[in-house]
Amino acid sequence: MVSPMSDFKRDPYRRYKASSEDNIVTDHRQFQLDHLIKPKDNISIRTTGYKNEFSRNWYKIDDVTLTKKVSISDILESPQEYQAEYSGFVGN
């Protein structure tokens, strides 16, 4: 069995089978309004108002259940203890 750290060092961008259905949906809106007043030739007043909105829904795997529910962090911290779950997670 390959340890999570050596697996990461070998390919830090590897996509595990268990996370293949992960999906992130984002929505971003930005509005800006500028206003300029020049009461005299050598004086100007600029006002900028803005609003920025960002939201996300991230559907991702949180745990693996074979015989019992085990969190991903527990599997990666102790792959020897959760060999079956680790193998299912990485797709081996």
Side-chain angles (χ1 to χ4, degrees):
M1 176 187 309
V2 177
S3 74
M5 188 53 75
S6 64
D7 188 41
F8 178 78
K9 286 179 182 177
R10 185 175 55 214
D11 184 0
Y13 299 105
R14 178 179 175 191
R15 181 70 182 233
Y16 292 114
K17 181 179 181 186
S19 67
S20 63
E21 298 297 318
D22 285 1
N23 185 27
I24 187 167
V25 177
T26 62
D27 186 31
H28 178 238
R29 292 187 184 128
Q30 184 173 358
F31 305 96
Q32 180 172 322
L33 180 63
D34 292 315
H35 185 256
L36 176 64
I37 299 173
K38 294 183 92 175
K40 295 189 175 187
D41 287 342
N42 61 345
I43 297 176
S44 64
I45 301 169
R46 179 180 301 267
T47 307
T48 302
Y50 66 91
K51 182 175 184 176
N52 191 35
E53 298 174 352
F54 180 79
S55 64
R56 74 175 187 184
N57 285 326
W58 191 356
Y59 305 99
K60 61 182 179 171
I61 187 169
D62 292 323
D63 51 61
V64 174
T65 304
L66 293 178
T67 57
K68 61 180 178 177
K69 189 175 184 178
V70 183
S71 73
I72 296 301
S73 61
D74 288 343
I75 294 169
L76 294 176
E77 286 175 9
S78 305
Q80 287 74 23
E81 183 178 345
Y82 303 107
Q83 290 182 16
E85 289 84 356
Y86 182 78
S87 292
F89 177 71
V90 299
N92 293 342

